[in-house]
């Protein structure tokens, strides 16, 4: 049975009214003050925890520690490999997430619910389990055959594969929400005017999804940057070979260099904040994705 277009009316759902649209009757009443204070208190406590964590890390790390970390050849190699592997992982994630999100958003087909659930497995599984599963996969006959052609296990490609295995799931979810928010009527009009579905996708849908694509790319990149468990199991933590920033933190802590580990952690925090700021500046601002 071929996939059927999804005519779910949720695509036409109007956005929720903003606070500027509230009427007088919607304003908080005096007896709601305690309820709102509780909500604000819980939010404030969690924000305070995050700020405290970042502040503790920044205060513990001195400029000398940062300079020493950046002068280390091993840490510079880990930084370069992290930037390259995260970028490759984000590109691969987009390559899968765009068609997957479009199919799940626009079509009804047998097994759609099962596939939708399977795509969440990398999100809920412990990272170490994903790394172990990848390691076992490449110990099978097929995996060893691939390893003989292109060395993967405990090599640089294993870093990209480990990051991709987790980050792609977040990209798929982002792209599905993106396509859900694009009204399918413009696409249908394009097809009635003579466009094929592929032409309608590239000429109508894809341009409208550009913000979602950027958001999926930045989120998958940031998720790849922080990946540790699968890389440790599947790639190892070999200096100047498969060492990325998270494994650098682990290696520095294992030899008691807390200052160096904190400095590398601060570098990761700055990189993650930069990519998240870009996502909010150019991504799906105001759509609920970020």
């Amino acid at each position: 049975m071929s996939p059927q277009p999804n005519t779910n009316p949720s695509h036409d759902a109007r956005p929720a009214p903003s606070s500027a649209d509230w009427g007088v009757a919607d304003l908080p009443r005096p007896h709601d003050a305690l309820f709102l204070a509780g909500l604000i208190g819980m939010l404030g406590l969690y924000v305070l925890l995050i700020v405290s964590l970042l502040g503790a890390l920044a205060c513990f790390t001195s400029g000398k520690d940062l300079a020493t970390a950046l002068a280390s050849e091993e840490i510079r190699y880990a930084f370069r490999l992290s930037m390259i592997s995260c970028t490759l992982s984000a590109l691969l994630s987009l390559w899968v997430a765009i068609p997957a999100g479009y199919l799940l958003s626009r079509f009804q087909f047998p097994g759609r619910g099962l596939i939708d659930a399977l795509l969440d497995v990398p999100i809920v599984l412990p990272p170490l389990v994903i790394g172990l599963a990848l390691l076992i996969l490449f110990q099978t006959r097929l995996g060893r055959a691939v390893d003989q052609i292109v060395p993967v296990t405990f090599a640089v490609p294993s870093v990209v594969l480990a990051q991709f295995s987790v980050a792609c799931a977040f990209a798929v979810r982002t792209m599905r929400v993106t396509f859900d928010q694009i009204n399918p009527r413009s696409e249908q009009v394009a097809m009635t005017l003579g466009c094929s579905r592929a032409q309608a996708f590239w000429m109508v849908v894809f341009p409208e999804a550009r913000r979602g694509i950027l958001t999926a790319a930045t989120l998958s990149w940031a998720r790849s940057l922080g990946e540790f468990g699968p890389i440790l199991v599947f790639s190892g933590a070999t200096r100047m070979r498969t060492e990325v920033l998270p494994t650098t933190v682990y290696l520095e802590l294992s030899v008691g260099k807390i200052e160096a580990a904190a400095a590398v952690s601060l570098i990761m925090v700055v990189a993650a904040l930069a990519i998240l700021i870009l996502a909010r500046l150019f991504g799906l601002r105001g759509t609920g994705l970020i």
Side-chain angles (χ1 to χ4, degrees):
M1 182 182 296
S2 61
Q4 298 297 320
N6 189 353
T7 57
N8 192 332
S10 61
H11 292 295
D12 301 328
R14 298 171 60 186
S18 63
S19 57
D21 300 326
W22 286 0
V24 176
D26 298 315
L27 295 176
R29 296 168 183 163
H31 61 270
D32 291 333
L34 185 60
F35 173 70
L36 293 176
L39 297 180
I40 295 172
M42 299 309 298
L43 173 62
L45 285 175
Y46 186 60
V47 171
L48 179 62
L49 174 61
I50 296 175
V51 172
S52 299
L53 292 174
L54 297 178
L57 194 61
C59 292
F60 185 81
T61 306
S62 64
K64 181 181 178 181
D65 295 331
L66 279 174
T68 303
L70 294 174
S72 169
E73 185 179 358
E74 292 84 359
I75 293 178
R76 289 203 305 269
Y77 176 86
F79 181 81
R80 288 195 300 269
L81 181 56
S82 292
M83 297 302 104
I84 294 171
S85 63
C86 289
T87 302
L88 291 175
S89 174
L91 292 175
L92 289 173
S93 297
L94 287 181
W95 188 38
V96 174
I98 292 174
Y102 182 74
L103 281 172
L104 291 172
S105 175
R106 289 292 192 266
F107 297 95
Q108 297 287 346
F109 51 88
R112 179 174 176 271
L114 177 61
I115 293 175
D116 194 29
L118 287 174
L119 290 172
D120 285 334
V121 169
I123 298 176
V124 299
L125 272 183
L128 286 175
V129 174
I130 296 176
L132 180 61
L134 286 170
L135 183 62
I136 294 173
L137 175 63
F138 277 84
Q139 298 306 311
T140 62
R141 183 176 301 177
L142 178 60
R144 289 179 179 178
V146 173
D147 237 346
Q148 289 178 354
I149 301 173
V150 180
V152 176
T153 308
F154 301 116
V156 172
S158 66
V159 176
V160 179
L161 183 56
Q163 293 173 337
F164 166 77
S165 298
V166 178
C168 185
F170 293 89
V172 170
R173 286 288 154 235
T174 303
M175 290 312 305
R176 180 179 177 180
V177 173
T178 298
F179 290 124
D180 281 345
Q181 294 180 343
I182 297 175
N183 195 320
R185 289 180 180 174
S186 56
E187 184 180 4
Q188 293 166 1
V189 169
M191 288 189 290
T192 60
L193 294 176
C195 289
S196 65
R197 181 169 288 277
Q199 290 173 327
F201 174 80
W202 289 112
M203 297 173 63
V204 178
V205 180
F206 191 80
E208 291 189 41
R210 62 186 183 277
R211 288 181 177 270
I213 293 171
L214 178 59
T215 301
T218 53
L219 290 181
S220 58
W221 193 95
R223 189 66 184 85
S224 298
L225 179 65
E227 206 56 59
F228 171 70
I231 295 176
L232 183 64
V233 176
F234 185 42
S235 309
T238 307
R239 292 280 194 187
M240 302 296 291
R241 186 175 180 183
T242 58
E243 181 185 6
V244 290
L245 290 177
T247 52
T248 297
V249 175
Y250 169 76
L251 291 172
E252 297 296 340
L253 283 175
S254 65
V255 295
K257 296 182 179 179
I258 301 178
E259 293 80 5
V264 175
S265 300
L266 190 60
I267 293 172
M268 293 177 61
V269 168
V270 172
L273 287 176
I275 206 69
L276 290 176
I277 290 173
L278 286 176
R280 278 160 172 76
L281 288 177
F282 304 105
L284 294 182
R285 182 168 48 187
T287 62
L289 277 178
I290 60 173

